[in-house]
Amino acid sequence: MKITKMASLSVFFCTFFVIATGLGNAEKVFKVGDEFGWQEPGQNSSAVYTQWASRNRFHVGDSLSFEYKNDSVIEVDKWGYYHCDGSKPTVAFNNGHGVFKLDRPGPFYYISGTPDHCMRGQRLLIEVMGLHRHSPLTATPPAGQLAPSPQPSSGVFASVTLGSLSTLLMGTLIALLWSLP
């Protein structure tokens, strides 16, 4: 009976650890434009890709998937983006499907290979966030005002991260296994 309990606990904690670790490092593939895809926007929807980008958060390791017909997608620099100039592409696809890996933080610029399409709004600028770092939230007072001094506190600031939670769970498992005869 005790061996069955021990095995059940071991399976539970190991499964939890694997799931928690996987969720913390999940990379996403974003389909550009969602169901609209990558195509020339209509007259009244030239901001479709700007709006799409503002609804998403991109992290290092994620990917952008462009799906299109009779078009192309080109990764360009800032100048190429603002001038719809694809003459010096970083990467270009014209086969109906292109996937770009977001391998660094910062801006990424994409345009249609058809200049008229780019001029009509078929271009995308995204900002990729760097690695997640835990930092306490701070507020900046408006200019000209001093922030009040912090009050003494006897409370303890606790921060729970995936790593500390995993360590706690593994420690609990070891203690449970150690206590069994």
Side-chain angles (χ1 to χ4, degrees), residues 18 38 49 125 131:
V18 168
W38 181 248
Y49 296 109
L125 163 60
L131 300 173

Side-chain angles (χ1 to χ4, degrees), residues 38 66 68-74 92-96 111-114 117 122:
W38 181 248
F66 290 81
Y68 49 91
K69 293 179 183 171
N70 302 320
D71 208 329
S72 60
V73 60
I74 303 172
F93 289 100
N94 63 0
N95 60 0
I111 63 172
S112 169
T114 306
H117 291 192
Q122 189 180 358

Side-chain angles (χ1 to χ4, degrees), residues 54-153:
S54 69
R55 289 190 307 266
N56 292 292
R57 290 196 176 247
F58 308 99
H59 297 279
V60 172
D62 291 343
S63 298
L64 296 179
S65 174
F66 290 81
E67 295 180 16
Y68 49 91
K69 293 179 183 171
N70 302 320
D71 208 329
S72 60
V73 60
I74 303 172
E75 183 179 354
V76 294
D77 61 10
K78 184 177 183 178
W79 194 92
Y81 174 82
Y82 286 106
H83 294 90
C84 290
D85 181 2
S87 65
K88 296 178 186 173
T90 306
V91 181
F93 289 100
N94 63 0
N95 60 0
H97 183 78
V99 177
F100 294 86
K101 182 81 166 180
L102 305 174
D103 58 357
R104 60 172 171 75
F108 283 79
Y109 305 92
Y110 303 95
I111 63 172
S112 169
T114 306
D116 289 346
H117 291 192
C118 178
M119 295 289 195
R120 292 184 191 119
Q122 189 180 358
R123 56 185 174 176
L124 173 67
L125 163 60
I126 64 164
E127 185 70 31
V128 176
M129 293 186 251
L131 300 173
H132 297 283
R133 296 183 189 242
H134 179 73
S135 61
L137 297 176
T138 58
T140 306
Q145 295 181 3
L146 296 176
S149 298
Q151 298 297 317
S153 172

